[in-house]
Amino acid sequence: MKKQYDIVIIGSGMGGLVAANILAREGKSVCVLEKNNQFGGNLQTFVRERTIFDTGVHYLGGLSEGQNLYRYFDYLDILEGLHFKKLDEDGFDKITFDDDDTEYPHAQGYENFASRLTLKFPEDADAIQAYCNKLQEVCQKFPLYNLEAGKPYHQDSDLFALGAKSYIDALTENKRLRAVLAGSNLLYAGDPDKTPFYVHALSVNSFIESSYRCADGGSQITKLLIRRLKENGGNALKHQEVISINVADKKVVSVTTQTGQKIKGDLFISNIDPKNTLNLTEGVPFRKSFTQRIEEMESTISAFSIHIVLKPKSFNYLNHNYYHSKDLDAVWNGHKYTQENWPLGYMVSMGVRKNQDQWGEQLTAIAYMRFEEVTPWARTFNTVANKNDRGETYAEFKKKKTEVFLNELEKKFPNIRDCIQSIHTSTPLSYRDYIGCHRGSMYGYVKDVENPLKSFIAPRTKLENLYFTGQSLNMHGILGVTISGVVTCSEILGADYLLDKIVAGSEKVSGKR
């Protein structure tokens, strides 16, 4: 521990670790503080019966050579130690419905994506091509998404006023095709009345370009980022939950951790939820309008997940994901479930090993769940670092939900119950406690096409040396939060200077290969 750091980062999610690495490479002394037993936020993994599960990152896009995430990882010098498996090129995601045995593929590569869907919808070839063109056109308007200079938010009011559902609906009269194009909605918790098309485009585009799973879990990304950070003189500490951000003369001077340590710094970056950040600066005179806007921001919905350890050699490994909806309307309205019809849809994904054979070891299924369902236990907290039992009623709640969910999965995988060795669950409380997101929110704050600036959060705060980073800044997902780390560091180091370094760095590393 140093007496004072150049940079103190609260939280070790991907955005915070990317920022930490960039700044350490620039010669800054950096300290990352993490409350949990593991670094990494949504990159955390957990093990049950020697089987690895991901908490949040089930697959990654844009990782083929020369693509955007590949180039960012190249610059960060972590590609060489990572192990990936490419998903099925002819259908990395498969969209399915209760009333239809057809599996509708989302294929890798735009030409392949269009041709595979056109086989299913031959009369809508033009609509499918128009959709592909629009995705690429929109993504080109976000410079950092393409490692290009420019403002992180393109100044294009029409871009932010275009709704995802309204655009897709205008493409075709075919309701099934509309549902298929929006079928992976759970990637961004799309709302039919609010979600802008750019959110859909940025979420889907990189997976169409290329889709991979992390072999043996996403925490390998964290481990390499921590290793590179330490090689550049940075420090990262676990079990150091920040309980207050200490301010004097409109500047942060230190943070206090639960262990009683005061850690001083020149600049501070919060990689935790902005609502939680404001709570830690209690009494600080932020402008009332700023505080009120943050407090009133709507968090995206949370999830209930079941993690199944499969009996050996009982269930074939699936090299794709399923996005399943009970009917065509459920694609957009899955969050409006009732107790009687939950879940209206779900995602199924499988983990992969470096030496993967034909048999799957585990399966994860995820469905929307509103935080209100777990409010009876909201005052309880339970993590590996701070174990607590939420009680019998909570265990019964999870058991009941698991049974309902399994009944739905059984319709698609009739033999699933025979393949289960053990089953484990995550609720909105799990996501809240481990990831630190407000009310267990999956994807930060709701983006609203009717009020684009409402959910906009700048990296700079009204305290001159306190910055934000993470999924609440721009976009969620590994690529989104990587870019958020770059955006935050651009404010500190200068945007053109940093981007030149990233582009030159990725080209230099690529040239070595």
Side-chain angles (χ1 to χ4, degrees), residues 60-74 79 84-87 89 108-109 147 205-213 506 510 513:
L60 300 147
L63 258 179
S64 287
E65 188 164 357
Q67 293 175 352
N68 47 18
L69 190 59
Y70 179 97
R71 292 174 67 195
Y72 278 117
F73 278 14
D74 226 354
L79 271 175
F84 301 109
K85 178 172 175 61
K86 195 168 194 182
L87 288 167
E89 294 199 9
Q108 297 186 51
L147 282 86
N205 172 75
S206 58
F207 290 112
I208 294 176
E209 290 189 336
S210 65
S211 292
Y212 294 83
R213 281 184 180 144
S506 72
S510 293
R513 297 193 172 92

PDB file of all heavy atoms in Angstrom, residues 60-74 79 84-87 89 108-109 147 205-213 506 510 513:
ATOM      1  N   LEU A  60     -19.053 -13.693 -26.345  1.00  0.00           N
ATOM      2  CA  LEU A  60     -18.436 -12.419 -26.707  1.00  0.00           C
ATOM      3  C   LEU A  60     -18.486 -12.251 -28.214  1.00  0.00           C
ATOM      4  O   LEU A  60     -18.384 -13.224 -28.963  1.00  0.00           O
ATOM      5  CB  LEU A  60     -16.959 -12.399 -26.279  1.00  0.00           C
ATOM      6  CG  LEU A  60     -16.677 -12.575 -24.797  1.00  0.00           C
ATOM      7  CD1 LEU A  60     -15.371 -13.316 -24.606  1.00  0.00           C
ATOM      8  CD2 LEU A  60     -16.594 -11.247 -24.118  1.00  0.00           C
ATOM      9  N   GLY A  61     -18.603 -10.996 -28.682  1.00  0.00           N
ATOM     10  CA  GLY A  61     -18.607 -10.719 -30.113  1.00  0.00           C
ATOM     11  C   GLY A  61     -17.444  -9.840 -30.514  1.00  0.00           C
ATOM     12  O   GLY A  61     -16.761  -9.246 -29.677  1.00  0.00           O
ATOM     13  N   GLY A  62     -17.191  -9.763 -31.817  1.00  0.00           N
ATOM     14  CA  GLY A  62     -16.148  -8.881 -32.343  1.00  0.00           C
ATOM     15  C   GLY A  62     -14.745  -9.316 -32.002  1.00  0.00           C
ATOM     16  O   GLY A  62     -13.841  -8.485 -31.909  1.00  0.00           O
ATOM     17  N   LEU A  63     -14.525 -10.632 -31.874  1.00  0.00           N
ATOM     18  CA  LEU A  63     -13.224 -11.122 -31.407  1.00  0.00           C
ATOM     19  C   LEU A  63     -12.375 -11.754 -32.500  1.00  0.00           C
ATOM     20  O   LEU A  63     -11.294 -12.251 -32.215  1.00  0.00           O
ATOM     21  CB  LEU A  63     -13.422 -12.142 -30.283  1.00  0.00           C
ATOM     22  CG  LEU A  63     -13.185 -11.632 -28.857  1.00  0.00           C
ATOM     23  CD1 LEU A  63     -13.437 -12.735 -27.845  1.00  0.00           C
ATOM     24  CD2 LEU A  63     -11.782 -11.073 -28.679  1.00  0.00           C
ATOM     25  N   SER A  64     -12.866 -11.771 -33.727  1.00  0.00           N
ATOM     26  CA  SER A  64     -12.014 -12.267 -34.805  1.00  0.00           C
ATOM     27  C   SER A  64     -10.987 -11.198 -35.153  1.00  0.00           C
ATOM     28  O   SER A  64     -11.205  -9.996 -34.929  1.00  0.00           O
ATOM     29  CB  SER A  64     -12.852 -12.622 -36.040  1.00  0.00           C
ATOM     30  OG  SER A  64     -13.573 -13.817 -35.812  1.00  0.00           O
ATOM     31  N   GLU A  65      -9.869 -11.618 -35.722  1.00  0.00           N
ATOM     32  CA  GLU A  65      -8.745 -10.706 -35.953  1.00  0.00           C
ATOM     33  C   GLU A  65      -9.182  -9.465 -36.724  1.00  0.00           C
ATOM     34  O   GLU A  65      -9.872  -9.558 -37.741  1.00  0.00           O
ATOM     35  CB  GLU A  65      -7.618 -11.421 -36.700  1.00  0.00           C
ATOM     36  CG  GLU A  65      -6.365 -10.578 -36.793  1.00  0.00           C
ATOM     37  CD  GLU A  65      -5.130 -11.369 -37.168  1.00  0.00           C
ATOM     38  OE1 GLU A  65      -5.228 -12.605 -37.312  1.00  0.00           O
ATOM     39  OE2 GLU A  65      -4.065 -10.746 -37.313  1.00  0.00           O
ATOM     40  N   GLY A  66      -8.790  -8.306 -36.215  1.00  0.00           N
ATOM     41  CA  GLY A  66      -9.093  -7.044 -36.869  1.00  0.00           C
ATOM     42  C   GLY A  66     -10.401  -6.415 -36.428  1.00  0.00           C
ATOM     43  O   GLY A  66     -10.653  -5.240 -36.703  1.00  0.00           O
ATOM     44  N   GLN A  67     -11.265  -7.179 -35.726  1.00  0.00           N
ATOM     45  CA  GLN A  67     -12.550  -6.636 -35.281  1.00  0.00           C
ATOM     46  C   GLN A  67     -12.368  -5.838 -33.989  1.00  0.00           C
ATOM     47  O   GLN A  67     -11.315  -5.869 -33.362  1.00  0.00           O
ATOM     48  CB  GLN A  67     -13.569  -7.770 -35.125  1.00  0.00           C
ATOM     49  CG  GLN A  67     -13.930  -8.395 -36.463  1.00  0.00           C
ATOM     50  CD  GLN A  67     -14.857  -9.602 -36.340  1.00  0.00           C
ATOM     51  OE1 GLN A  67     -15.139 -10.089 -35.246  1.00  0.00           O
ATOM     52  NE2 GLN A  67     -15.319 -10.109 -37.479  1.00  0.00           N
ATOM     53  N   ASN A  68     -13.441  -5.114 -33.576  1.00  0.00           N
ATOM     54  CA  ASN A  68     -13.261  -4.099 -32.533  1.00  0.00           C
ATOM     55  C   ASN A  68     -12.783  -4.645 -31.191  1.00  0.00           C
ATOM     56  O   ASN A  68     -11.815  -4.127 -30.619  1.00  0.00           O
ATOM     57  CB  ASN A  68     -14.528  -3.243 -32.374  1.00  0.00           C
ATOM     58  CG  ASN A  68     -15.806  -4.045 -32.288  1.00  0.00           C
ATOM     59  OD1 ASN A  68     -15.795  -5.245 -32.018  1.00  0.00           O
ATOM     60  ND2 ASN A  68     -16.926  -3.373 -32.506  1.00  0.00           N
ATOM     61  N   LEU A  69     -13.439  -5.671 -30.644  1.00  0.00           N
ATOM     62  CA  LEU A  69     -13.009  -6.165 -29.330  1.00  0.00           C
ATOM     63  C   LEU A  69     -11.631  -6.811 -29.423  1.00  0.00           C
ATOM     64  O   LEU A  69     -10.818  -6.674 -28.495  1.00  0.00           O
ATOM     65  CB  LEU A  69     -14.035  -7.164 -28.770  1.00  0.00           C
ATOM     66  CG  LEU A  69     -13.807  -7.565 -27.312  1.00  0.00           C
ATOM     67  CD1 LEU A  69     -13.839  -6.360 -26.375  1.00  0.00           C
ATOM     68  CD2 LEU A  69     -14.835  -8.597 -26.850  1.00  0.00           C
ATOM     69  N   TYR A  70     -11.362  -7.494 -30.526  1.00  0.00           N
ATOM     70  CA  TYR A  70     -10.029  -8.072 -30.748  1.00  0.00           C
ATOM     71  C   TYR A  70      -8.955  -6.979 -30.645  1.00  0.00           C
ATOM     72  O   TYR A  70      -7.931  -7.154 -29.982  1.00  0.00           O
ATOM     73  CB  TYR A  70      -9.984  -8.732 -32.130  1.00  0.00           C
ATOM     74  CG  TYR A  70      -8.641  -9.347 -32.487  1.00  0.00           C
ATOM     75  CD1 TYR A  70      -8.413 -10.708 -32.308  1.00  0.00           C
ATOM     76  CD2 TYR A  70      -7.602  -8.565 -33.005  1.00  0.00           C
ATOM     77  CE1 TYR A  70      -7.176 -11.277 -32.639  1.00  0.00           C
ATOM     78  CE2 TYR A  70      -6.375  -9.120 -33.334  1.00  0.00           C
ATOM     79  CZ  TYR A  70      -6.171 -10.472 -33.148  1.00  0.00           C
ATOM     80  OH  TYR A  70      -4.959 -11.029 -33.462  1.00  0.00           O
ATOM     81  N   ARG A  71      -9.219  -5.835 -31.261  1.00  0.00           N
ATOM     82  CA  ARG A  71      -8.215  -4.767 -31.278  1.00  0.00           C
ATOM     83  C   ARG A  71      -8.039  -4.149 -29.892  1.00  0.00           C
ATOM     84  O   ARG A  71      -6.915  -3.818 -29.490  1.00  0.00           O
ATOM     85  CB  ARG A  71      -8.594  -3.709 -32.312  1.00  0.00           C
ATOM     86  CG  ARG A  71      -8.503  -4.233 -33.738  1.00  0.00           C
ATOM     87  CD  ARG A  71      -9.017  -3.205 -34.734  1.00  0.00           C
ATOM     88  NE  ARG A  71      -8.160  -2.035 -34.802  1.00  0.00           N
ATOM     89  CZ  ARG A  71      -8.517  -0.885 -35.367  1.00  0.00           C
ATOM     90  NH1 ARG A  71      -9.740  -0.747 -35.868  1.00  0.00           N
ATOM     91  NH2 ARG A  71      -7.683   0.134 -35.405  1.00  0.00           N
ATOM     92  N   TYR A  72      -9.137  -3.998 -29.138  1.00  0.00           N
ATOM     93  CA  TYR A  72      -9.014  -3.494 -27.766  1.00  0.00           C
ATOM     94  C   TYR A  72      -8.234  -4.482 -26.895  1.00  0.00           C
ATOM     95  O   TYR A  72      -7.357  -4.091 -26.116  1.00  0.00           O
ATOM     96  CB  TYR A  72     -10.391  -3.215 -27.170  1.00  0.00           C
ATOM     97  CG  TYR A  72     -10.970  -1.873 -27.563  1.00  0.00           C
ATOM     98  CD1 TYR A  72     -12.146  -1.787 -28.299  1.00  0.00           C
ATOM     99  CD2 TYR A  72     -10.344  -0.682 -27.188  1.00  0.00           C
ATOM    100  CE1 TYR A  72     -12.682  -0.546 -28.663  1.00  0.00           C
ATOM    101  CE2 TYR A  72     -10.874   0.559 -27.548  1.00  0.00           C
ATOM    102  CZ  TYR A  72     -12.039   0.623 -28.278  1.00  0.00           C
ATOM    103  OH  TYR A  72     -12.554   1.844 -28.635  1.00  0.00           O
ATOM    104  N   PHE A  73      -8.557  -5.773 -27.010  1.00  0.00           N
ATOM    105  CA  PHE A  73      -7.842  -6.792 -26.233  1.00  0.00           C
ATOM    106  C   PHE A  73      -6.370  -6.865 -26.642  1.00  0.00           C
ATOM    107  O   PHE A  73      -5.493  -7.122 -25.824  1.00  0.00           O
ATOM    108  CB  PHE A  73      -8.512  -8.155 -26.408  1.00  0.00           C
ATOM    109  CG  PHE A  73      -9.716  -8.371 -25.526  1.00  0.00           C
ATOM    110  CD1 PHE A  73     -10.328  -7.320 -24.858  1.00  0.00           C
ATOM    111  CD2 PHE A  73     -10.256  -9.650 -25.358  1.00  0.00           C
ATOM    112  CE1 PHE A  73     -11.434  -7.521 -24.045  1.00  0.00           C
ATOM    113  CE2 PHE A  73     -11.358  -9.860 -24.540  1.00  0.00           C
ATOM    114  CZ  PHE A  73     -11.948  -8.796 -23.886  1.00  0.00           C
ATOM    115  N   ASP A  74      -6.111  -6.642 -27.941  1.00  0.00           N
ATOM    116  CA  ASP A  74      -4.749  -6.627 -28.452  1.00  0.00           C
ATOM    117  C   ASP A  74      -3.948  -5.523 -27.766  1.00  0.00           C
ATOM    118  O   ASP A  74      -2.832  -5.739 -27.287  1.00  0.00           O
ATOM    119  CB  ASP A  74      -4.795  -6.359 -29.958  1.00  0.00           C
ATOM    120  CG  ASP A  74      -3.895  -7.301 -30.742  1.00  0.00           C
ATOM    121  OD1 ASP A  74      -3.163  -8.077 -30.119  1.00  0.00           O
ATOM    122  OD2 ASP A  74      -3.945  -7.259 -31.984  1.00  0.00           O
ATOM    123  N   LEU A  79      -4.727 -10.942 -25.313  1.00  0.00           N
ATOM    124  CA  LEU A  79      -5.231 -11.953 -26.252  1.00  0.00           C
ATOM    125  C   LEU A  79      -4.477 -13.268 -26.155  1.00  0.00           C
ATOM    126  O   LEU A  79      -5.080 -14.344 -26.226  1.00  0.00           O
ATOM    127  CB  LEU A  79      -5.140 -11.429 -27.692  1.00  0.00           C
ATOM    128  CG  LEU A  79      -6.340 -10.649 -28.205  1.00  0.00           C
ATOM    129  CD1 LEU A  79      -6.048 -10.101 -29.579  1.00  0.00           C
ATOM    130  CD2 LEU A  79      -7.586 -11.537 -28.238  1.00  0.00           C
ATOM    131  N   PHE A  84     -10.683 -19.275 -26.334  1.00  0.00           N
ATOM    132  CA  PHE A  84     -12.057 -19.130 -26.803  1.00  0.00           C
ATOM    133  C   PHE A  84     -12.458 -20.298 -27.685  1.00  0.00           C
ATOM    134  O   PHE A  84     -11.608 -20.978 -28.260  1.00  0.00           O
ATOM    135  CB  PHE A  84     -12.212 -17.844 -27.633  1.00  0.00           C
ATOM    136  CG  PHE A  84     -11.863 -16.584 -26.899  1.00  0.00           C
ATOM    137  CD1 PHE A  84     -10.717 -15.868 -27.203  1.00  0.00           C
ATOM    138  CD2 PHE A  84     -12.693 -16.101 -25.901  1.00  0.00           C
ATOM    139  CE1 PHE A  84     -10.391 -14.711 -26.527  1.00  0.00           C
ATOM    140  CE2 PHE A  84     -12.384 -14.936 -25.214  1.00  0.00           C
ATOM    141  CZ  PHE A  84     -11.235 -14.244 -25.528  1.00  0.00           C
ATOM    142  N   LYS A  85     -13.758 -20.501 -27.796  1.00  0.00           N
ATOM    143  CA  LYS A  85     -14.291 -21.441 -28.794  1.00  0.00           C
ATOM    144  C   LYS A  85     -15.303 -20.679 -29.628  1.00  0.00           C
ATOM    145  O   LYS A  85     -16.228 -20.070 -29.096  1.00  0.00           O
ATOM    146  CB  LYS A  85     -14.970 -22.641 -28.133  1.00  0.00           C
ATOM    147  CG  LYS A  85     -15.565 -23.606 -29.162  1.00  0.00           C
ATOM    148  CD  LYS A  85     -16.072 -24.899 -28.532  1.00  0.00           C
ATOM    149  CE  LYS A  85     -16.766 -25.790 -29.557  1.00  0.00           C
ATOM    150  NZ  LYS A  85     -15.901 -26.211 -30.663  1.00  0.00           N
ATOM    151  N   LYS A  86     -15.116 -20.733 -30.947  1.00  0.00           N
ATOM    152  CA  LYS A  86     -16.046 -20.032 -31.832  1.00  0.00           C
ATOM    153  C   LYS A  86     -17.366 -20.783 -31.869  1.00  0.00           C
ATOM    154  O   LYS A  86     -17.403 -22.012 -31.987  1.00  0.00           O
ATOM    155  CB  LYS A  86     -15.468 -19.919 -33.240  1.00  0.00           C
ATOM    156  CG  LYS A  86     -16.206 -18.894 -34.105  1.00  0.00           C
ATOM    157  CD  LYS A  86     -15.454 -18.585 -35.392  1.00  0.00           C
ATOM    158  CE  LYS A  86     -16.046 -17.317 -36.019  1.00  0.00           C
ATOM    159  NZ  LYS A  86     -15.383 -16.997 -37.314  1.00  0.00           N
ATOM    160  N   LEU A  87     -18.454 -20.044 -31.758  1.00  0.00           N
ATOM    161  CA  LEU A  87     -19.784 -20.648 -31.818  1.00  0.00           C
ATOM    162  C   LEU A  87     -20.133 -20.993 -33.267  1.00  0.00           C
ATOM    163  O   LEU A  87     -19.458 -20.574 -34.211  1.00  0.00           O
ATOM    164  CB  LEU A  87     -20.816 -19.688 -31.233  1.00  0.00           C
ATOM    165  CG  LEU A  87     -20.753 -19.527 -29.709  1.00  0.00           C
ATOM    166  CD1 LEU A  87     -21.577 -18.341 -29.249  1.00  0.00           C
ATOM    167  CD2 LEU A  87     -21.227 -20.789 -29.009  1.00  0.00           C
ATOM    168  N   GLU A  89     -21.062 -21.063 -36.805  1.00  0.00           N
ATOM    169  CA  GLU A  89     -21.096 -19.941 -37.742  1.00  0.00           C
ATOM    170  C   GLU A  89     -22.443 -19.826 -38.445  1.00  0.00           C
ATOM    171  O   GLU A  89     -22.827 -18.745 -38.889  1.00  0.00           O
ATOM    172  CB  GLU A  89     -19.966 -20.065 -38.771  1.00  0.00           C
ATOM    173  CG  GLU A  89     -18.596 -19.939 -38.132  1.00  0.00           C
ATOM    174  CD  GLU A  89     -17.499 -19.599 -39.123  1.00  0.00           C
ATOM    175  OE1 GLU A  89     -17.816 -19.301 -40.290  1.00  0.00           O
ATOM    176  OE2 GLU A  89     -16.328 -19.625 -38.724  1.00  0.00           O
ATOM    177  N   GLN A 108     -23.238 -16.034 -38.226  1.00  0.00           N
ATOM    178  CA  GLN A 108     -22.083 -15.129 -38.182  1.00  0.00           C
ATOM    179  C   GLN A 108     -21.720 -14.663 -39.596  1.00  0.00           C
ATOM    180  O   GLN A 108     -21.736 -15.443 -40.538  1.00  0.00           O
ATOM    181  CB  GLN A 108     -20.883 -15.835 -37.549  1.00  0.00           C
ATOM    182  CG  GLN A 108     -21.115 -16.232 -36.105  1.00  0.00           C
ATOM    183  CD  GLN A 108     -19.880 -16.793 -35.440  1.00  0.00           C
ATOM    184  OE1 GLN A 108     -18.811 -16.179 -35.491  1.00  0.00           O
ATOM    185  NE2 GLN A 108     -20.008 -17.938 -34.789  1.00  0.00           N
ATOM    186  N   GLY A 109     -21.367 -13.377 -39.696  1.00  0.00           N
ATOM    187  CA  GLY A 109     -21.075 -12.767 -40.987  1.00  0.00           C
ATOM    188  C   GLY A 109     -22.370 -12.265 -41.611  1.00  0.00           C
ATOM    189  O   GLY A 109     -23.349 -13.004 -41.689  1.00  0.00           O
ATOM    190  N   LEU A 147     -12.988   2.109 -33.039  1.00  0.00           N
ATOM    191  CA  LEU A 147     -11.635   2.597 -32.755  1.00  0.00           C
ATOM    192  C   LEU A 147     -11.273   3.760 -33.665  1.00  0.00           C
ATOM    193  O   LEU A 147     -10.217   3.808 -34.297  1.00  0.00           O
ATOM    194  CB  LEU A 147     -10.593   1.478 -32.872  1.00  0.00           C
ATOM    195  CG  LEU A 147     -10.538   0.523 -31.681  1.00  0.00           C
ATOM    196  CD1 LEU A 147     -11.549  -0.597 -31.852  1.00  0.00           C
ATOM    197  CD2 LEU A 147      -9.143  -0.087 -31.537  1.00  0.00           C
ATOM    198  N   ASN A 205     -24.704  -6.335 -33.404  1.00  0.00           N
ATOM    199  CA  ASN A 205     -23.747  -6.261 -34.505  1.00  0.00           C
ATOM    200  C   ASN A 205     -22.466  -7.065 -34.263  1.00  0.00           C
ATOM    201  O   ASN A 205     -22.030  -7.830 -35.133  1.00  0.00           O
ATOM    202  CB  ASN A 205     -23.378  -4.802 -34.775  1.00  0.00           C
ATOM    203  CG  ASN A 205     -22.241  -4.659 -35.769  1.00  0.00           C
ATOM    204  OD1 ASN A 205     -22.411  -4.847 -36.962  1.00  0.00           O
ATOM    205  ND2 ASN A 205     -21.063  -4.334 -35.278  1.00  0.00           N
ATOM    206  N   SER A 206     -21.852  -6.877 -33.082  1.00  0.00           N
ATOM    207  CA  SER A 206     -20.554  -7.538 -32.874  1.00  0.00           C
ATOM    208  C   SER A 206     -20.693  -9.056 -32.830  1.00  0.00           C
ATOM    209  O   SER A 206     -19.775  -9.776 -33.216  1.00  0.00           O
ATOM    210  CB  SER A 206     -19.871  -7.013 -31.609  1.00  0.00           C
ATOM    211  OG  SER A 206     -20.673  -7.208 -30.479  1.00  0.00           O
ATOM    212  N   PHE A 207     -21.863  -9.562 -32.390  1.00  0.00           N
ATOM    213  CA  PHE A 207     -22.071 -11.018 -32.399  1.00  0.00           C
ATOM    214  C   PHE A 207     -22.249 -11.541 -33.821  1.00  0.00           C
ATOM    215  O   PHE A 207     -21.830 -12.657 -34.131  1.00  0.00           O
ATOM    216  CB  PHE A 207     -23.288 -11.387 -31.547  1.00  0.00           C
ATOM    217  CG  PHE A 207     -23.077 -11.185 -30.067  1.00  0.00           C
ATOM    218  CD1 PHE A 207     -23.771 -10.207 -29.382  1.00  0.00           C
ATOM    219  CD2 PHE A 207     -22.164 -11.958 -29.369  1.00  0.00           C
ATOM    220  CE1 PHE A 207     -23.571 -10.008 -28.028  1.00  0.00           C
ATOM    221  CE2 PHE A 207     -21.949 -11.769 -28.014  1.00  0.00           C
ATOM    222  CZ  PHE A 207     -22.654 -10.792 -27.334  1.00  0.00           C
ATOM    223  N   ILE A 208     -22.889 -10.749 -34.679  1.00  0.00           N
ATOM    224  CA  ILE A 208     -23.009 -11.157 -36.081  1.00  0.00           C
ATOM    225  C   ILE A 208     -21.633 -11.173 -36.735  1.00  0.00           C
ATOM    226  O   ILE A 208     -21.310 -12.058 -37.537  1.00  0.00           O
ATOM    227  CB  ILE A 208     -23.973 -10.221 -36.849  1.00  0.00           C
ATOM    228  CG1 ILE A 208     -25.400 -10.368 -36.302  1.00  0.00           C
ATOM    229  CG2 ILE A 208     -23.962 -10.526 -38.354  1.00  0.00           C
ATOM    230  CD1 ILE A 208     -26.418  -9.420 -36.915  1.00  0.00           C
ATOM    231  N   GLU A 209     -20.784 -10.219 -36.364  1.00  0.00           N
ATOM    232  CA  GLU A 209     -19.433 -10.201 -36.930  1.00  0.00           C
ATOM    233  C   GLU A 209     -18.644 -11.449 -36.524  1.00  0.00           C
ATOM    234  O   GLU A 209     -17.956 -12.052 -37.335  1.00  0.00           O
ATOM    235  CB  GLU A 209     -18.706  -8.933 -36.492  1.00  0.00           C
ATOM    236  CG  GLU A 209     -19.282  -7.678 -37.153  1.00  0.00           C
ATOM    237  CD  GLU A 209     -18.447  -6.443 -36.893  1.00  0.00           C
ATOM    238  OE1 GLU A 209     -17.718  -6.416 -35.873  1.00  0.00           O
ATOM    239  OE2 GLU A 209     -18.531  -5.506 -37.696  1.00  0.00           O
ATOM    240  N   SER A 210     -18.745 -11.831 -35.254  1.00  0.00           N
ATOM    241  CA  SER A 210     -18.141 -13.090 -34.787  1.00  0.00           C
ATOM    242  C   SER A 210     -18.596 -13.362 -33.366  1.00  0.00           C
ATOM    243  O   SER A 210     -18.790 -12.419 -32.601  1.00  0.00           O
ATOM    244  CB  SER A 210     -16.603 -13.042 -34.838  1.00  0.00           C
ATOM    245  OG  SER A 210     -16.096 -12.080 -33.938  1.00  0.00           O
ATOM    246  N   SER A 211     -18.777 -14.636 -33.039  1.00  0.00           N
ATOM    247  CA  SER A 211     -19.283 -15.002 -31.706  1.00  0.00           C
ATOM    248  C   SER A 211     -18.432 -16.115 -31.103  1.00  0.00           C
ATOM    249  O   SER A 211     -18.171 -17.130 -31.762  1.00  0.00           O
ATOM    250  CB  SER A 211     -20.735 -15.482 -31.792  1.00  0.00           C
ATOM    251  OG  SER A 211     -21.586 -14.427 -32.138  1.00  0.00           O
ATOM    252  N   TYR A 212     -18.031 -15.915 -29.859  1.00  0.00           N
ATOM    253  CA  TYR A 212     -17.161 -16.865 -29.163  1.00  0.00           C
ATOM    254  C   TYR A 212     -17.638 -17.083 -27.730  1.00  0.00           C
ATOM    255  O   TYR A 212     -18.248 -16.193 -27.130  1.00  0.00           O
ATOM    256  CB  TYR A 212     -15.726 -16.328 -29.091  1.00  0.00           C
ATOM    257  CG  TYR A 212     -15.018 -16.209 -30.423  1.00  0.00           C
ATOM    258  CD1 TYR A 212     -15.223 -15.100 -31.231  1.00  0.00           C
ATOM    259  CD2 TYR A 212     -14.141 -17.195 -30.857  1.00  0.00           C
ATOM    260  CE1 TYR A 212     -14.567 -14.973 -32.449  1.00  0.00           C
ATOM    261  CE2 TYR A 212     -13.474 -17.075 -32.075  1.00  0.00           C
ATOM    262  CZ  TYR A 212     -13.691 -15.962 -32.862  1.00  0.00           C
ATOM    263  OH  TYR A 212     -13.044 -15.844 -34.071  1.00  0.00           O
ATOM    264  N   ARG A 213     -17.311 -18.241 -27.190  1.00  0.00           N
ATOM    265  CA  ARG A 213     -17.422 -18.480 -25.750  1.00  0.00           C
ATOM    266  C   ARG A 213     -16.026 -18.524 -25.148  1.00  0.00           C
ATOM    267  O   ARG A 213     -15.065 -18.942 -25.796  1.00  0.00           O
ATOM    268  CB  ARG A 213     -18.125 -19.816 -25.474  1.00  0.00           C
ATOM    269  CG  ARG A 213     -19.630 -19.743 -25.616  1.00  0.00           C
ATOM    270  CD  ARG A 213     -20.300 -21.057 -25.247  1.00  0.00           C
ATOM    271  NE  ARG A 213     -21.759 -20.920 -25.395  1.00  0.00           N
ATOM    272  CZ  ARG A 213     -22.558 -21.885 -25.813  1.00  0.00           C
ATOM    273  NH1 ARG A 213     -22.065 -23.083 -26.119  1.00  0.00           N
ATOM    274  NH2 ARG A 213     -23.857 -21.674 -25.917  1.00  0.00           N
ATOM    275  N   SER A 506      -2.450  -1.662 -30.783  1.00  0.00           N
ATOM    276  CA  SER A 506      -3.054  -2.897 -31.298  1.00  0.00           C
ATOM    277  C   SER A 506      -2.397  -3.297 -32.613  1.00  0.00           C
ATOM    278  O   SER A 506      -2.175  -4.464 -32.874  1.00  0.00           O
ATOM    279  CB  SER A 506      -4.568  -2.733 -31.475  1.00  0.00           C
ATOM    280  OG  SER A 506      -4.878  -1.910 -32.567  1.00  0.00           O
ATOM    281  N   SER A 510      -0.381  -6.703 -33.154  1.00  0.00           N
ATOM    282  CA  SER A 510      -0.806  -7.559 -34.262  1.00  0.00           C
ATOM    283  C   SER A 510       0.366  -7.837 -35.188  1.00  0.00           C
ATOM    284  O   SER A 510       0.526  -8.932 -35.699  1.00  0.00           O
ATOM    285  CB  SER A 510      -1.941  -6.896 -35.051  1.00  0.00           C
ATOM    286  OG  SER A 510      -3.089  -6.813 -34.251  1.00  0.00           O
ATOM    287  N   ARG A 513       2.628 -10.745 -34.575  1.00  0.00           N
ATOM    288  CA  ARG A 513       2.171 -12.103 -34.826  1.00  0.00           C
ATOM    289  C   ARG A 513       2.422 -12.473 -36.271  1.00  0.00           C
ATOM    290  O   ARG A 513       1.617 -12.795 -37.024  1.00  0.00           O
ATOM    291  CB  ARG A 513       0.694 -12.243 -34.446  1.00  0.00           C
ATOM    292  CG  ARG A 513       0.484 -12.003 -32.953  1.00  0.00           C
ATOM    293  CD  ARG A 513      -0.884 -12.438 -32.490  1.00  0.00           C
ATOM    294  NE  ARG A 513      -0.936 -12.364 -31.043  1.00  0.00           N
ATOM    295  CZ  ARG A 513      -1.341 -11.302 -30.360  1.00  0.00           C
ATOM    296  NH1 ARG A 513      -1.764 -10.258 -30.992  1.00  0.00           N
ATOM    297  NH2 ARG A 513      -1.329 -11.291 -29.042  1.00  0.00           N
TER     298      ARG A 513
END
